[in-house]
Amino acid sequence: MYHQMSKITGRLVSASHLQSPLFPVAPIALQRVEPPVIQYNTAHMTTVTAATARPASSGKLMPGTNIPYAPLPETIRKRQELFQKDNNLPVFLKGGPFDGVLYRLTMALCILGVMGVVHTVYTHAVPKKQ
């Protein structure tokens, strides 16, 4: 099998219509490409200076910026405390009784689905008696 350079991607592709190697494509020497120059201290890459830096007591800064994280609403903070408690419950039941209902409903639907699959496989595998 012969190969040729693709005009679209510039990579080797199989060429089944060629009768002899390198026809109609001739080998081309590789071109040298210079690596791009790295530019430091541009407008997109600034460093934190003492004048723009906030004190550590004001909270954490977003990565790569001088902007502090927005404060969390109190409801989210309470939910975090609820889910981080060590009360030996799995995380999918820590939300309260409604989570328990959702868990049991999901398990029941999964069991019904598996039973439906088993029934379908059985009806297709075992022929009806005539």
Side-chain angles (χ1 to χ4, degrees):
M1 176 180 283
Y2 299 112
H3 295 82
Q4 69 179 12
M5 297 294 285
S6 170
K7 293 179 182 176
I8 297 171
T9 61
R11 295 183 180 192
L12 282 177
V13 293
S14 62
S16 59
H17 65 281
L18 296 177
Q19 297 299 319
S20 63
L22 303 176
F23 176 80
V25 179
I28 301 171
L30 294 176
Q31 300 172 357
R32 290 217 177 255
V33 178
E34 296 296 324
V37 178
I38 298 175
Q39 297 177 357
Y40 296 100
N41 294 330
T42 62
H44 300 296
M45 299 175 10
T46 59
T47 58
V48 177
T49 60
T52 59
R54 294 181 172 259
S57 62
S58 66
K60 292 184 178 180
L61 299 177
M62 284 192 242
T65 66
N66 295 331
I67 303 168
Y69 285 111
L72 283 177
E74 192 59 32
T75 56
I76 294 178
R77 189 172 304 279
K78 287 180 182 176
R79 296 290 285 187
Q80 283 180 343
E81 289 174 3
L82 173 74
F83 279 88
Q84 290 175 357
K85 261 186 213 169
D86 187 18
N87 53 5
N88 294 329
L89 281 176
V91 72
F92 53 87
L93 294 177
K94 283 191 175 188
F98 186 66
D99 279 355
V101 171
L102 286 176
Y103 173 72
R104 287 176 182 84
L105 178 67
T106 303
M107 286 298 111
L109 289 174
C110 287
I111 291 170
L112 284 173
V114 169
M115 288 171 49
V117 168
V118 169
H119 178 264
T120 303
V121 169
Y122 178 77
T123 56
H124 285 93
V126 178
K128 292 183 180 179
K129 294 180 182 178
Q130 293 180 354

PDB file of all heavy atoms in Angstrom, residues 30-45:
ATOM      1  N   LEU A  30      11.508  18.936   5.300  1.00  0.00           N
ATOM      2  CA  LEU A  30      10.815  19.566   6.415  1.00  0.00           C
ATOM      3  C   LEU A  30      11.238  21.019   6.547  1.00  0.00           C
ATOM      4  O   LEU A  30      12.392  21.369   6.303  1.00  0.00           O
ATOM      5  CB  LEU A  30      11.126  18.818   7.711  1.00  0.00           C
ATOM      6  CG  LEU A  30      10.595  17.395   7.804  1.00  0.00           C
ATOM      7  CD1 LEU A  30      11.081  16.754   9.098  1.00  0.00           C
ATOM      8  CD2 LEU A  30       9.082  17.405   7.765  1.00  0.00           C
ATOM      9  N   GLN A  31      10.285  21.851   6.948  1.00  0.00           N
ATOM     10  CA  GLN A  31      10.579  23.265   7.136  1.00  0.00           C
ATOM     11  C   GLN A  31      10.879  23.507   8.608  1.00  0.00           C
ATOM     12  O   GLN A  31      10.251  22.937   9.482  1.00  0.00           O
ATOM     13  CB  GLN A  31       9.391  24.115   6.710  1.00  0.00           C
ATOM     14  CG  GLN A  31       9.023  23.931   5.260  1.00  0.00           C
ATOM     15  CD  GLN A  31       7.722  24.644   4.929  1.00  0.00           C
ATOM     16  OE1 GLN A  31       7.087  25.215   5.796  1.00  0.00           O
ATOM     17  NE2 GLN A  31       7.347  24.605   3.669  1.00  0.00           N
ATOM     18  N   ARG A  32      11.850  24.352   8.856  1.00  0.00           N
ATOM     19  CA  ARG A  32      12.166  24.696  10.239  1.00  0.00           C
ATOM     20  C   ARG A  32      11.198  25.761  10.718  1.00  0.00           C
ATOM     21  O   ARG A  32      10.930  26.742  10.022  1.00  0.00           O
ATOM     22  CB  ARG A  32      13.577  25.237  10.346  1.00  0.00           C
ATOM     23  CG  ARG A  32      14.622  24.195  10.118  1.00  0.00           C
ATOM     24  CD  ARG A  32      15.789  24.455  11.047  1.00  0.00           C
ATOM     25  NE  ARG A  32      16.773  23.424  10.908  1.00  0.00           N
ATOM     26  CZ  ARG A  32      16.942  22.474  11.798  1.00  0.00           C
ATOM     27  NH1 ARG A  32      16.203  22.444  12.867  1.00  0.00           N
ATOM     28  NH2 ARG A  32      17.862  21.553  11.633  1.00  0.00           N
ATOM     29  N   VAL A  33      10.686  25.538  11.915  1.00  0.00           N
ATOM     30  CA  VAL A  33       9.760  26.494  12.520  1.00  0.00           C
ATOM     31  C   VAL A  33      10.375  26.939  13.836  1.00  0.00           C
ATOM     32  O   VAL A  33      10.745  26.123  14.673  1.00  0.00           O
ATOM     33  CB  VAL A  33       8.382  25.843  12.768  1.00  0.00           C
ATOM     34  CG1 VAL A  33       7.450  26.821  13.450  1.00  0.00           C
ATOM     35  CG2 VAL A  33       7.794  25.340  11.473  1.00  0.00           C
ATOM     36  N   GLU A  34      10.465  28.236  14.018  1.00  0.00           N
ATOM     37  CA  GLU A  34      11.008  28.788  15.255  1.00  0.00           C
ATOM     38  C   GLU A  34       9.934  28.754  16.339  1.00  0.00           C
ATOM     39  O   GLU A  34       8.770  29.039  16.071  1.00  0.00           O
ATOM     40  CB  GLU A  34      11.479  30.233  15.038  1.00  0.00           C
ATOM     41  CG  GLU A  34      12.637  30.348  14.056  1.00  0.00           C
ATOM     42  CD  GLU A  34      13.873  29.649  14.566  1.00  0.00           C
ATOM     43  OE1 GLU A  34      14.129  29.669  15.778  1.00  0.00           O
ATOM     44  OE2 GLU A  34      14.588  29.048  13.729  1.00  0.00           O
ATOM     45  N   PRO A  35      10.307  28.404  17.572  1.00  0.00           N
ATOM     46  CA  PRO A  35       9.306  28.405  18.649  1.00  0.00           C
ATOM     47  C   PRO A  35       8.874  29.828  18.962  1.00  0.00           C
ATOM     48  O   PRO A  35       9.631  30.784  18.755  1.00  0.00           O
ATOM     49  CB  PRO A  35      10.052  27.777  19.830  1.00  0.00           C
ATOM     50  CG  PRO A  35      11.492  27.987  19.527  1.00  0.00           C
ATOM     51  CD  PRO A  35      11.615  27.978  18.033  1.00  0.00           C
ATOM     52  N   PRO A  36       7.645  30.016  19.437  1.00  0.00           N
ATOM     53  CA  PRO A  36       7.182  31.363  19.749  1.00  0.00           C
ATOM     54  C   PRO A  36       7.956  31.953  20.929  1.00  0.00           C
ATOM     55  O   PRO A  36       8.419  31.232  21.810  1.00  0.00           O
ATOM     56  CB  PRO A  36       5.707  31.169  20.108  1.00  0.00           C
ATOM     57  CG  PRO A  36       5.590  29.743  20.490  1.00  0.00           C
ATOM     58  CD  PRO A  36       6.620  29.012  19.707  1.00  0.00           C
ATOM     59  N   VAL A  37       8.090  33.238  20.926  1.00  0.00           N
ATOM     60  CA  VAL A  37       8.803  33.938  21.983  1.00  0.00           C
ATOM     61  C   VAL A  37       7.864  34.113  23.168  1.00  0.00           C
ATOM     62  O   VAL A  37       6.721  34.533  23.010  1.00  0.00           O
ATOM     63  CB  VAL A  37       9.296  35.314  21.479  1.00  0.00           C
ATOM     64  CG1 VAL A  37      10.006  36.066  22.586  1.00  0.00           C
ATOM     65  CG2 VAL A  37      10.200  35.128  20.285  1.00  0.00           C
ATOM     66  N   ILE A  38       8.337  33.779  24.360  1.00  0.00           N
ATOM     67  CA  ILE A  38       7.517  33.927  25.561  1.00  0.00           C
ATOM     68  C   ILE A  38       7.615  35.379  26.022  1.00  0.00           C
ATOM     69  O   ILE A  38       8.703  35.934  26.171  1.00  0.00           O
ATOM     70  CB  ILE A  38       8.000  32.977  26.667  1.00  0.00           C
ATOM     71  CG1 ILE A  38       7.856  31.533  26.197  1.00  0.00           C
ATOM     72  CG2 ILE A  38       7.217  33.211  27.948  1.00  0.00           C
ATOM     73  CD1 ILE A  38       8.416  30.515  27.163  1.00  0.00           C
ATOM     74  N   GLN A  39       6.472  35.993  26.240  1.00  0.00           N
ATOM     75  CA  GLN A  39       6.439  37.381  26.690  1.00  0.00           C
ATOM     76  C   GLN A  39       5.979  37.419  28.135  1.00  0.00           C
ATOM     77  O   GLN A  39       4.937  36.859  28.467  1.00  0.00           O
ATOM     78  CB  GLN A  39       5.497  38.197  25.822  1.00  0.00           C
ATOM     79  CG  GLN A  39       5.920  38.266  24.376  1.00  0.00           C
ATOM     80  CD  GLN A  39       4.915  39.036  23.541  1.00  0.00           C
ATOM     81  OE1 GLN A  39       3.892  39.469  24.034  1.00  0.00           O
ATOM     82  NE2 GLN A  39       5.229  39.215  22.285  1.00  0.00           N
ATOM     83  N   TYR A  40       6.747  38.070  28.967  1.00  0.00           N
ATOM     84  CA  TYR A  40       6.410  38.197  30.377  1.00  0.00           C
ATOM     85  C   TYR A  40       5.898  39.603  30.656  1.00  0.00           C
ATOM     86  O   TYR A  40       6.175  40.555  29.935  1.00  0.00           O
ATOM     87  CB  TYR A  40       7.632  37.905  31.245  1.00  0.00           C
ATOM     88  CG  TYR A  40       8.114  36.480  31.107  1.00  0.00           C
ATOM     89  CD1 TYR A  40       9.195  36.167  30.300  1.00  0.00           C
ATOM     90  CD2 TYR A  40       7.458  35.448  31.764  1.00  0.00           C
ATOM     91  CE1 TYR A  40       9.633  34.867  30.171  1.00  0.00           C
ATOM     92  CE2 TYR A  40       7.879  34.142  31.631  1.00  0.00           C
ATOM     93  CZ  TYR A  40       8.966  33.858  30.837  1.00  0.00           C
ATOM     94  OH  TYR A  40       9.391  32.575  30.709  1.00  0.00           O
ATOM     95  N   ASN A  41       5.145  39.728  31.719  1.00  0.00           N
ATOM     96  CA  ASN A  41       4.619  41.012  32.200  1.00  0.00           C
ATOM     97  C   ASN A  41       3.762  41.713  31.151  1.00  0.00           C
ATOM     98  O   ASN A  41       3.899  42.897  30.902  1.00  0.00           O
ATOM     99  CB  ASN A  41       5.747  41.931  32.663  1.00  0.00           C
ATOM    100  CG  ASN A  41       6.437  41.376  33.892  1.00  0.00           C
ATOM    101  OD1 ASN A  41       5.805  40.681  34.687  1.00  0.00           O
ATOM    102  ND2 ASN A  41       7.704  41.652  34.032  1.00  0.00           N
ATOM    103  N   THR A  42       2.887  40.958  30.518  1.00  0.00           N
ATOM    104  CA  THR A  42       1.927  41.587  29.619  1.00  0.00           C
ATOM    105  C   THR A  42       0.691  41.963  30.413  1.00  0.00           C
ATOM    106  O   THR A  42       0.602  41.713  31.619  1.00  0.00           O
ATOM    107  CB  THR A  42       1.545  40.619  28.481  1.00  0.00           C
ATOM    108  OG1 THR A  42       0.915  39.473  29.063  1.00  0.00           O
ATOM    109  CG2 THR A  42       2.752  40.190  27.676  1.00  0.00           C
ATOM    110  N   ALA A  43      -0.293  42.544  29.747  1.00  0.00           N
ATOM    111  CA  ALA A  43      -1.509  42.953  30.439  1.00  0.00           C
ATOM    112  C   ALA A  43      -2.272  41.748  30.971  1.00  0.00           C
ATOM    113  O   ALA A  43      -2.984  41.835  31.961  1.00  0.00           O
ATOM    114  CB  ALA A  43      -2.393  43.753  29.489  1.00  0.00           C
ATOM    115  N   HIS A  44      -2.127  40.583  30.320  1.00  0.00           N
ATOM    116  CA  HIS A  44      -2.847  39.391  30.752  1.00  0.00           C
ATOM    117  C   HIS A  44      -2.145  38.665  31.889  1.00  0.00           C
ATOM    118  O   HIS A  44      -2.762  37.887  32.601  1.00  0.00           O
ATOM    119  CB  HIS A  44      -3.032  38.426  29.584  1.00  0.00           C
ATOM    120  CG  HIS A  44      -3.798  39.017  28.456  1.00  0.00           C
ATOM    121  ND1 HIS A  44      -5.116  39.396  28.573  1.00  0.00           N
ATOM    122  CD2 HIS A  44      -3.446  39.320  27.193  1.00  0.00           C
ATOM    123  CE1 HIS A  44      -5.535  39.884  27.434  1.00  0.00           C
ATOM    124  NE2 HIS A  44      -4.530  39.854  26.569  1.00  0.00           N
ATOM    125  N   MET A  45      -0.846  38.898  32.045  1.00  0.00           N
ATOM    126  CA  MET A  45      -0.083  38.205  33.067  1.00  0.00           C
ATOM    127  C   MET A  45       0.578  39.228  33.971  1.00  0.00           C
ATOM    128  O   MET A  45       1.716  39.623  33.759  1.00  0.00           O
ATOM    129  CB  MET A  45       0.978  37.301  32.420  1.00  0.00           C
ATOM    130  CG  MET A  45       0.365  36.247  31.558  1.00  0.00           C
ATOM    131  SD  MET A  45       1.470  35.190  30.613  1.00  0.00           S
ATOM    132  CE  MET A  45       3.075  35.482  31.158  1.00  0.00           C
TER     133      MET A  45
END
